[in-house]
Short mmCIF file of all heavy atoms in Angstrom, two decimals:
data_model
loop_
_atom_site.label_atom_id
_atom_site.label_comp_id
_atom_site.label_asym_id
_atom_site.label_seq_id
_atom_site.Cartn_x
_atom_site.Cartn_y
_atom_site.Cartn_z
N GLU A 28 -11.37 -5.48 3.20
CA GLU A 28 -10.70 -4.34 2.59
C GLU A 28 -11.49 -3.06 2.81
O GLU A 28 -10.90 -2.01 3.15
CB GLU A 28 -10.52 -4.60 1.10
CG GLU A 28 -9.80 -3.46 0.38
CD GLU A 28 -9.53 -3.79 -1.07
OE1 GLU A 28 -9.41 -4.98 -1.41
OE2 GLU A 28 -9.46 -2.84 -1.88
N LYS A 29 -12.81 -3.11 2.65
CA LYS A 29 -13.62 -1.90 2.77
C LYS A 29 -13.52 -1.30 4.16
O LYS A 29 -13.42 -0.07 4.32
CB LYS A 29 -15.08 -2.23 2.45
CG LYS A 29 -16.01 -1.03 2.58
CD LYS A 29 -17.46 -1.38 2.26
CE LYS A 29 -18.35 -0.15 2.40
NZ LYS A 29 -19.77 -0.45 2.12
N TYR A 30 -13.56 -2.16 5.18
CA TYR A 30 -13.58 -1.66 6.56
C TYR A 30 -12.24 -1.82 7.27
O TYR A 30 -12.15 -1.58 8.48
CB TYR A 30 -14.68 -2.38 7.35
CG TYR A 30 -16.07 -2.10 6.81
CD1 TYR A 30 -16.77 -3.06 6.07
CD2 TYR A 30 -16.67 -0.86 7.00
CE1 TYR A 30 -18.03 -2.81 5.57
CE2 TYR A 30 -17.93 -0.58 6.50
CZ TYR A 30 -18.61 -1.56 5.78
OH TYR A 30 -19.86 -1.30 5.27
N ASN A 31 -11.23 -2.23 6.51
CA ASN A 31 -9.89 -2.40 7.06
C ASN A 31 -9.92 -3.25 8.34
O ASN A 31 -9.36 -2.89 9.37
CB ASN A 31 -9.26 -1.02 7.36
CG ASN A 31 -7.77 -1.11 7.61
OD1 ASN A 31 -7.11 -2.04 7.12
ND2 ASN A 31 -7.23 -0.18 8.36
N LYS A 32 -10.57 -4.39 8.25
CA LYS A 32 -10.77 -5.27 9.40
C LYS A 32 -9.56 -6.19 9.60
O LYS A 32 -9.10 -6.83 8.66
CB LYS A 32 -12.03 -6.13 9.22
CG LYS A 32 -13.34 -5.37 9.38
CD LYS A 32 -14.51 -6.32 9.17
CE LYS A 32 -15.82 -5.64 9.52
NZ LYS A 32 -16.01 -5.50 10.95
N PRO A 33 -9.07 -6.28 10.83
CA PRO A 33 -8.01 -7.25 11.11
C PRO A 33 -8.61 -8.65 11.33
O PRO A 33 -9.77 -8.80 11.70
CB PRO A 33 -7.41 -6.72 12.41
CG PRO A 33 -8.56 -6.03 13.10
CD PRO A 33 -9.41 -5.45 11.99
N GLY A 34 -7.83 -9.67 11.08
CA GLY A 34 -8.29 -11.03 11.36
C GLY A 34 -9.38 -11.49 10.40
O GLY A 34 -9.56 -10.95 9.31
N ASN A 35 -10.10 -12.53 10.83
CA ASN A 35 -11.14 -13.12 9.99
C ASN A 35 -12.41 -12.26 9.96
O ASN A 35 -12.75 -11.61 10.95
CB ASN A 35 -11.50 -14.52 10.49
CG ASN A 35 -10.33 -15.49 10.33
OD1 ASN A 35 -9.54 -15.37 9.40
ND2 ASN A 35 -10.21 -16.44 11.26
N VAL A 36 -13.10 -12.30 8.85
CA VAL A 36 -14.37 -11.59 8.68
C VAL A 36 -15.49 -12.63 8.62
O VAL A 36 -15.38 -13.63 7.91
CB VAL A 36 -14.36 -10.74 7.39
CG1 VAL A 36 -15.73 -10.11 7.16
CG2 VAL A 36 -13.29 -9.67 7.48
N PHE A 37 -16.57 -12.37 9.34
CA PHE A 37 -17.69 -13.32 9.37
C PHE A 37 -18.67 -13.03 8.24
O PHE A 37 -19.13 -11.90 8.08
CB PHE A 37 -18.43 -13.23 10.72
CG PHE A 37 -19.58 -14.20 10.84
CD1 PHE A 37 -19.38 -15.48 11.30
CD2 PHE A 37 -20.87 -13.82 10.47
CE1 PHE A 37 -20.43 -16.39 11.41
CE2 PHE A 37 -21.93 -14.71 10.57
CZ PHE A 37 -21.71 -15.99 11.04
N VAL A 38 -18.98 -14.06 7.45
CA VAL A 38 -20.06 -14.00 6.46
C VAL A 38 -20.81 -15.32 6.54
O VAL A 38 -20.26 -16.39 6.23
CB VAL A 38 -19.53 -13.78 5.03
CG1 VAL A 38 -20.67 -13.92 4.01
CG2 VAL A 38 -18.88 -12.41 4.88
N GLY A 39 -22.06 -15.27 6.98
CA GLY A 39 -22.88 -16.46 7.10
C GLY A 39 -23.80 -16.64 5.91
O GLY A 39 -24.22 -15.66 5.29
N VAL A 40 -24.11 -17.89 5.58
CA VAL A 40 -24.91 -18.21 4.40
C VAL A 40 -26.23 -18.87 4.83
O VAL A 40 -26.27 -20.07 5.07
CB VAL A 40 -24.14 -19.15 3.45
CG1 VAL A 40 -24.95 -19.42 2.19
CG2 VAL A 40 -22.77 -18.58 3.10
N PRO A 41 -27.32 -18.10 4.92
CA PRO A 41 -28.61 -18.69 5.34
C PRO A 41 -29.38 -19.35 4.22
O PRO A 41 -30.31 -20.12 4.48
CB PRO A 41 -29.37 -17.48 5.89
CG PRO A 41 -28.84 -16.32 5.10
CD PRO A 41 -27.39 -16.63 4.84
N HIS A 42 -29.05 -19.07 2.96
CA HIS A 42 -29.72 -19.74 1.83
C HIS A 42 -28.81 -19.69 0.62
O HIS A 42 -27.79 -19.02 0.61
CB HIS A 42 -31.07 -19.08 1.51
CG HIS A 42 -30.97 -17.79 0.76
ND1 HIS A 42 -31.54 -17.57 -0.47
CD2 HIS A 42 -30.34 -16.63 1.09
CE1 HIS A 42 -31.29 -16.34 -0.87
NE2 HIS A 42 -30.57 -15.75 0.04
N ARG A 43 -29.15 -20.45 -0.41
CA ARG A 43 -28.29 -20.57 -1.58
C ARG A 43 -29.10 -20.49 -2.87
O ARG A 43 -30.30 -20.72 -2.86
CB ARG A 43 -27.54 -21.91 -1.55
CG ARG A 43 -26.56 -22.04 -0.38
CD ARG A 43 -26.21 -23.49 -0.11
NE ARG A 43 -25.38 -23.64 1.06
CZ ARG A 43 -25.83 -23.63 2.32
NH1 ARG A 43 -27.12 -23.46 2.55
NH2 ARG A 43 -25.00 -23.76 3.34
N LEU A 44 -28.39 -20.18 -3.93
CA LEU A 44 -28.93 -20.29 -5.28
C LEU A 44 -28.05 -21.26 -6.06
O LEU A 44 -26.83 -21.28 -5.85
CB LEU A 44 -28.94 -18.94 -6.01
CG LEU A 44 -29.89 -17.84 -5.52
CD1 LEU A 44 -29.73 -16.61 -6.41
CD2 LEU A 44 -31.33 -18.30 -5.52
N ASP A 45 -28.64 -22.04 -6.96
CA ASP A 45 -27.84 -22.90 -7.82
C ASP A 45 -26.87 -22.06 -8.62
O ASP A 45 -27.15 -20.89 -8.96
CB ASP A 45 -28.74 -23.67 -8.80
CG ASP A 45 -29.69 -24.62 -8.09
OD1 ASP A 45 -29.43 -24.97 -6.92
OD2 ASP A 45 -30.69 -25.02 -8.72
N ARG A 46 -25.73 -22.64 -8.96
CA ARG A 46 -24.70 -21.89 -9.67
C ARG A 46 -25.20 -21.22 -10.94
O ARG A 46 -24.88 -20.05 -11.20
CB ARG A 46 -23.51 -22.80 -9.98
CG ARG A 46 -22.35 -22.05 -10.63
CD ARG A 46 -21.09 -22.87 -10.68
NE ARG A 46 -19.94 -22.03 -10.99
CZ ARG A 46 -18.67 -22.36 -10.76
NH1 ARG A 46 -18.39 -23.54 -10.23
NH2 ARG A 46 -17.69 -21.54 -11.04
N PRO A 47 -25.97 -21.89 -11.81
CA PRO A 47 -26.38 -21.24 -13.07
C PRO A 47 -27.51 -20.23 -12.92
O PRO A 47 -27.96 -19.66 -13.91
CB PRO A 47 -26.82 -22.42 -13.94
CG PRO A 47 -27.26 -23.47 -12.98
CD PRO A 47 -26.37 -23.31 -11.78
N VAL A 48 -27.99 -20.02 -11.68
CA VAL A 48 -29.10 -19.10 -11.41
C VAL A 48 -28.53 -17.75 -10.97
O VAL A 48 -27.56 -17.69 -10.22
CB VAL A 48 -30.03 -19.67 -10.33
CG1 VAL A 48 -31.16 -18.69 -10.01
CG2 VAL A 48 -30.58 -21.02 -10.76
N SER A 49 -29.14 -16.67 -11.42
CA SER A 49 -28.73 -15.33 -11.00
C SER A 49 -29.72 -14.76 -10.00
O SER A 49 -30.78 -15.32 -9.77
CB SER A 49 -28.64 -14.41 -12.23
OG SER A 49 -29.92 -14.30 -12.86
N GLY A 50 -29.33 -13.62 -9.40
CA GLY A 50 -30.29 -12.91 -8.57
C GLY A 50 -29.89 -12.69 -7.12
O GLY A 50 -28.73 -12.87 -6.74
N VAL A 51 -30.88 -12.31 -6.34
CA VAL A 51 -30.66 -11.81 -4.99
C VAL A 51 -30.29 -12.94 -4.02
O VAL A 51 -30.95 -13.97 -3.98
CB VAL A 51 -31.89 -11.03 -4.50
CG1 VAL A 51 -33.13 -11.90 -4.47
CG2 VAL A 51 -31.65 -10.39 -3.16
N VAL A 52 -29.21 -12.71 -3.27
CA VAL A 52 -28.76 -13.64 -2.23
C VAL A 52 -28.51 -12.84 -0.95
O VAL A 52 -27.84 -11.80 -0.98
CB VAL A 52 -27.47 -14.38 -2.62
CG1 VAL A 52 -27.11 -15.41 -1.55
CG2 VAL A 52 -27.61 -15.06 -3.97
N VAL A 53 -29.03 -13.34 0.15
CA VAL A 53 -28.89 -12.68 1.45
C VAL A 53 -27.77 -13.36 2.25
O VAL A 53 -27.74 -14.59 2.38
CB VAL A 53 -30.20 -12.77 2.25
CG1 VAL A 53 -30.05 -12.07 3.61
CG2 VAL A 53 -31.35 -12.16 1.46
N PHE A 54 -26.85 -12.56 2.77
CA PHE A 54 -25.79 -13.06 3.64
C PHE A 54 -25.89 -12.36 4.99
O PHE A 54 -26.39 -11.23 5.09
CB PHE A 54 -24.41 -12.75 3.05
CG PHE A 54 -24.11 -13.49 1.78
CD1 PHE A 54 -24.39 -12.91 0.54
CD2 PHE A 54 -23.53 -14.75 1.80
CE1 PHE A 54 -24.10 -13.58 -0.64
CE2 PHE A 54 -23.24 -15.43 0.63
CZ PHE A 54 -23.53 -14.85 -0.59
N ALA A 55 -25.40 -13.03 6.03
CA ALA A 55 -25.38 -12.47 7.39
C ALA A 55 -23.97 -12.00 7.72
O ALA A 55 -22.99 -12.70 7.43
CB ALA A 55 -25.84 -13.51 8.40
N LYS A 56 -23.87 -10.83 8.33
CA LYS A 56 -22.57 -10.31 8.74
C LYS A 56 -22.29 -10.57 10.22
O LYS A 56 -21.17 -10.32 10.69
CB LYS A 56 -22.50 -8.80 8.46
CG LYS A 56 -22.46 -8.47 6.99
CD LYS A 56 -22.59 -6.97 6.73
CE LYS A 56 -21.46 -6.16 7.34
NZ LYS A 56 -21.61 -4.71 7.04
N THR A 57 -23.30 -11.06 10.95
CA THR A 57 -23.12 -11.40 12.35
C THR A 57 -23.74 -12.76 12.63
O THR A 57 -24.67 -13.19 11.94
CB THR A 57 -23.79 -10.36 13.28
OG1 THR A 57 -25.21 -10.38 13.05
CG2 THR A 57 -23.26 -8.95 13.03
N SER A 58 -23.23 -13.43 13.66
CA SER A 58 -23.78 -14.75 14.02
C SER A 58 -25.21 -14.63 14.51
O SER A 58 -26.03 -15.51 14.27
CB SER A 58 -22.90 -15.41 15.08
OG SER A 58 -22.78 -14.58 16.23
N LYS A 59 -25.54 -13.53 15.19
CA LYS A 59 -26.92 -13.32 15.64
C LYS A 59 -27.87 -13.28 14.46
O LYS A 59 -28.92 -13.94 14.46
CB LYS A 59 -27.02 -11.99 16.41
CG LYS A 59 -28.46 -11.65 16.84
CD LYS A 59 -28.60 -10.20 17.30
CE LYS A 59 -27.89 -9.98 18.62
NZ LYS A 59 -28.18 -8.60 19.15
N ALA A 60 -27.52 -12.53 13.43
CA ALA A 60 -28.37 -12.44 12.25
C ALA A 60 -28.47 -13.79 11.54
O ALA A 60 -29.55 -14.17 11.06
CB ALA A 60 -27.84 -11.38 11.29
N LEU A 61 -27.37 -14.53 11.49
CA LEU A 61 -27.38 -15.82 10.80
C LEU A 61 -28.32 -16.80 11.47
O LEU A 61 -29.12 -17.46 10.80
CB LEU A 61 -25.97 -16.41 10.74
CG LEU A 61 -25.87 -17.80 10.09
CD1 LEU A 61 -26.33 -17.74 8.64
CD2 LEU A 61 -24.44 -18.34 10.19
N VAL A 62 -28.26 -16.91 12.78
CA VAL A 62 -29.13 -17.84 13.52
C VAL A 62 -30.60 -17.49 13.27
O VAL A 62 -31.42 -18.36 13.01
CB VAL A 62 -28.81 -17.80 15.03
CG1 VAL A 62 -29.87 -18.54 15.83
CG2 VAL A 62 -27.44 -18.41 15.29
N ARG A 63 -30.91 -16.22 13.34
CA ARG A 63 -32.30 -15.80 13.16
C ARG A 63 -32.76 -15.97 11.72
O ARG A 63 -33.90 -16.39 11.46
CB ARG A 63 -32.47 -14.34 13.62
CG ARG A 63 -32.24 -14.17 15.12
CD ARG A 63 -32.41 -12.73 15.57
NE ARG A 63 -32.14 -12.59 17.00
CZ ARG A 63 -32.20 -11.44 17.67
NH1 ARG A 63 -32.53 -10.32 17.03
NH2 ARG A 63 -31.94 -11.40 18.95
N LEU A 64 -31.89 -15.66 10.76
CA LEU A 64 -32.25 -15.85 9.35
C LEU A 64 -32.46 -17.33 9.01
O LEU A 64 -33.38 -17.68 8.27
CB LEU A 64 -31.18 -15.26 8.44
CG LEU A 64 -31.22 -13.75 8.23
CD1 LEU A 64 -29.95 -13.29 7.51
CD2 LEU A 64 -32.46 -13.33 7.44
N ASN A 65 -31.59 -18.18 9.55
CA ASN A 65 -31.76 -19.61 9.33
C ASN A 65 -33.14 -20.07 9.76
O ASN A 65 -33.81 -20.84 9.06
CB ASN A 65 -30.70 -20.40 10.09
CG ASN A 65 -29.34 -20.38 9.41
OD1 ASN A 65 -29.25 -20.16 8.21
ND2 ASN A 65 -28.29 -20.63 10.17
N GLU A 66 -33.58 -19.60 10.91
CA GLU A 66 -34.89 -19.99 11.43
C GLU A 66 -36.01 -19.38 10.58
O GLU A 66 -37.03 -20.03 10.31
CB GLU A 66 -35.02 -19.55 12.88
CG GLU A 66 -36.29 -20.01 13.57
CD GLU A 66 -36.41 -21.52 13.70
OE1 GLU A 66 -35.40 -22.22 13.51
OE2 GLU A 66 -37.53 -22.00 13.98
N MET A 67 -35.83 -18.15 10.12
CA MET A 67 -36.84 -17.50 9.28
C MET A 67 -37.01 -18.22 7.95
O MET A 67 -38.13 -18.43 7.49
CB MET A 67 -36.46 -16.03 9.06
CG MET A 67 -36.57 -15.16 10.31
SD MET A 67 -35.80 -13.54 10.11
CE MET A 67 -36.85 -12.82 8.84
N PHE A 68 -35.90 -18.62 7.34
CA PHE A 68 -35.99 -19.39 6.09
C PHE A 68 -36.64 -20.73 6.34
O PHE A 68 -37.48 -21.19 5.54
CB PHE A 68 -34.59 -19.57 5.48
CG PHE A 68 -34.15 -18.43 4.61
CD1 PHE A 68 -33.25 -17.48 5.08
CD2 PHE A 68 -34.61 -18.31 3.31
CE1 PHE A 68 -32.83 -16.43 4.29
CE2 PHE A 68 -34.20 -17.27 2.50
CZ PHE A 68 -33.31 -16.32 2.98
#
């Protein structure tokens, strides 16, 4: 909605928090960033 993007939007998940836990979560907007973040974690 923010960027008026057609089709599917990519959001990659390199790490997770348990449901009852709050706080900072990092997501990847590109596959390049996701692959590199996965390796960094």
